Amino acid sequence: MKEQLEALRAEAQEQLRECVDSAGVEALRVRYLGKKGQLTALLRGMGALSPEERPKMGALVNQARSEIEAALEEKIRALKQEELNRRLQEEQLDVTVPGVSAPIGKKHPLTQVLDEIKDIFLGMGFQIASGPEVELDYYNFEALNMPKNHPARDTQDTFYITDNILLRTQTSPMQVRVMEKQKPPIKIIAPGRVYRSDEVDATHSPLFHQIEGLVVDKGIRMSDLKGTLELFAKRLYGEEAVVRFRPHHFSFTEPSAEMDIRCFSCGGKGCRLCKGEGWIEILGAGMVHPKVLQGCGIDPAEYSGFAFGMGLERIVMRRFNIDDLRLFFENDVRFLEQF
Ligand SMILES: [Zn+2]
């Protein structure tokens, strides 16, 4: 029986060494120490021994039991340590491996320049206003001194939703909307999308952007208009920028003017960029027509103001030397990532 015990002990140790996971260890525990286990069977067999041998044998069996128990515990501990080492190895983080860069977009060239223009005007104390792109005929034309059948309407054919609702052809309706709500002093710019029923080509798009400006207060004069817009041009194009004002006609300003900047490519001599003129038109402006003020409930005897409007696309095209307007709206990343 002693030999049997020795064999069992050796066999248990051997099997335990070969065991690779905790389920295997558990199976061995049942096999040797369980109620129906081999060691228990050996204890039962002790009934056949003589009374002198029984306690000796009992002690040996108990010793074997605690040895096997300890070996099982030890094995469990070793397996856990192994598992931990393996995970540490697998989940190791090498902080020196170069990262995978995620491509980050950037602002559209139109937005870049618009932000710059907004900054310039905010710096001069202007506020930014925004309004509807789907507009009433009244605000887009009539309130701007362009009644139905006014010839100026012909140059601004647009998309009509009904006879009286249309996509705005200009940001100028914002002049009226602001003056209706706000009493002077008023000092705003209103950038936004505008629409015209134009065929798409290198210089035309049915959708483009304008930036409207409006200043109304007591004692606003043409010299304020000139000073403000000249300062704007110098901020946008550099201190050396030279501007000139030419008389023009707009129905909602009187007098009206267009502002040109001396060609920064040829310095005024005439080149392809300025089409030989030496000057490039950048915006239209004028003193707000008294009829427009009156229509908004502002007394033209007490208040005066000036307004201006410019096309964003043309400014951006000149800034980045882009010769085709369509590129702005095609969203080709190869084009956009250059700016
Ligand atoms: Zn030129």
Side-chain angles (χ1 to χ4, degrees), residues 15 97 104 119 167 226 257 289:
Q15 285 187 346
V97 172
I104 295 171
D119 271 352
L167 297 186
K226 290 176 77 174
H289 200 292

Side-chain angles (χ1 to χ4, degrees), residues 151-164:
R153 285 192 176 207
D154 287 348
T155 60
Q156 297 191 19
D157 194 16
T158 184
F159 303 95
Y160 285 86
I161 284 134
T162 69
D163 277 353
N164 280 316

Side-chain angles (χ1 to χ4, degrees), residues 263-276 278-280:
C263 179
F264 34 78
S265 173
C266 64
K269 288 191 207 78
C271 69
R272 237 189 81 216
L273 184 71
C274 58
K275 298 190 179 81
W279 295 88
I280 294 167

